[in-house]
Amino acid sequence: MKSIVILISGRGSNMVSLINAAADGSLPVRVAAVLSNRPDAKGLQIAAAAGIATQVVDHTLFNDRESFDAAMTAAIDSFSPDLVVLAGFMRILSDGFVMHYVGRLINIHPSLLPSFPGLHTHQRALDEGVRIHGCTVHFVTPALDHGPIVVQAAVPVIDGDDAATLAARVLTQEHRIYPLAVRWFAEGRLRLNGGRVELDAPQDHASSLISPQAAG
Ligand code: NHR
Ligand code: GAR
């Protein structure tokens, strides 16, 4: 079975959705470890309680991004994962880190990329007056939040929304599409082709999911 390492910085609800899916058999991967750059990340206790190895690489103890990334790489590689999964991980990663994991590093981002890369996506979506918002799973490339898109889910923006209500609506969809994307990876069905992701043998999934282009 393929194994994954999950990187978090905080609450870890996306991490929980992956751990639960792996536990109930709907996601055929082993969660080898959960790593955090913050010692106080709530998700660390949840992972440990689930019997998963946890490790902290505290970014405040490093002088620069490169040395933090080198320590993070060493910690990750000690578990030999097939896939590295960013789940609410809040540190921008250096080009060297990203290239070390090319094709096996994914992120979930709380907007419909390429709209709203970076931080504070829900408030920015409200400020722009968009009617449709959502989330994106993408392969990570050196260009922040611009890697090939694996799957997206859309939600409506509803009158009276604030950043918190909108974030909660998006988060529900994040918890659906991240296990789905990791499953597709584990099944070997994702192919990178000219900066786009193709999904081999597409099968039924909910209509709110905008799936990658089906491979021939
Ligand atoms: N690294 C690379 N090279 N490429 C990507 O696409 C990445 C990445 C690292 C993280 C997640 C991303 C998101 O989904 C992600 C994608 C953090 C920041 C940020 O500005 C931006 C985007 C993302 C994650 N972080 C600040 C920094 O200086 C710190 C913010 C904080 O600690 O609260 O690193 O949105
Ligand atoms: C999620 O909404 C995730 O998409 C977002 O932070 C939240 C983490 O929640 N990620 C980013 O903003 C990355 N910069 P979680 O810790 O409960 O999974």
Side-chain angles (χ1 to χ4, degrees):
M1 194 184 304
K2 289 210 158 55
S3 73
I4 68 174
V5 164
I6 303 174
L7 271 52
I8 64 169
S9 297
R11 175 179 58 182
S13 72
N14 277 293
M15 172 205 79
V16 167
S17 77
L18 295 166
I19 291 172
N20 287 348
D24 75 19
S26 60
L27 177 60
V29 302
R30 190 175 76 86
V31 182
V34 171
L35 310 188
S36 172
N37 65 303
R38 292 187 182 275
D40 58 349
K42 292 271 187 305
L44 284 173
Q45 290 147 39
I46 302 170
I52 295 166
T54 62
Q55 212 164 302
V56 174
V57 182
D58 183 345
H59 68 275
T60 65
L61 304 180
F62 295 84
N63 289 325
D64 50 45
R65 286 184 190 267
E66 283 68 27
S67 50
F68 166 72
D69 284 5
M72 195 51 112
T73 301
I76 294 167
D77 288 352
S78 72
F79 297 99
S80 303
D82 297 290
L83 178 67
V84 179
V85 178
L86 306 183
F89 183 71
M90 296 308 291
R91 298 301 297 173
I92 295 174
L93 297 161
S94 61
D95 293 6
F97 180 101
V98 171
M99 295 320 290
H100 181 74
Y101 297 106
V102 66
R104 53 192 185 104
L105 174 62
I106 62 175
N107 178 47
I108 190 158
H109 180 76
S111 78
L112 290 175
L113 292 172
S115 290
F116 310 121
L119 303 178
H120 314 298
T121 55
H122 307 301
Q123 189 58 53
R124 287 160 61 205
L126 290 170
D127 292 346
E128 291 290 347
V130 301
R131 296 298 197 261
I132 306 287
H133 187 43
C135 48
T136 303
V137 178
H138 65 95
F139 281 99
V140 174
T141 60
L144 187 68
D145 294 328
H146 277 86
I149 291 169
V150 177
V151 61
Q152 297 183 303
V155 303
V157 179
I158 295 173
D159 286 350
D161 266 341
D162 59 21
T165 60
L166 187 53
R169 193 172 308 118
V170 171
L171 191 64
T172 305
Q173 297 304 314
E174 295 186 38
H175 297 161
R176 296 176 61 204
I177 66 170
Y178 219 4
L180 183 65
V182 174
R183 177 160 67 78
W184 288 342
F185 181 93
E187 292 170 346
R189 291 168 60 190
L190 299 180
R191 309 233 173 291
L192 283 166
N193 184 0
R196 292 161 54 110
V197 177
E198 294 177 343
L199 176 66
D200 279 349
Q203 61 190 31
D204 59 317
H205 49 76
S207 60
S208 66
L209 303 175
I210 303 150
S211 77
Q213 184 80 2

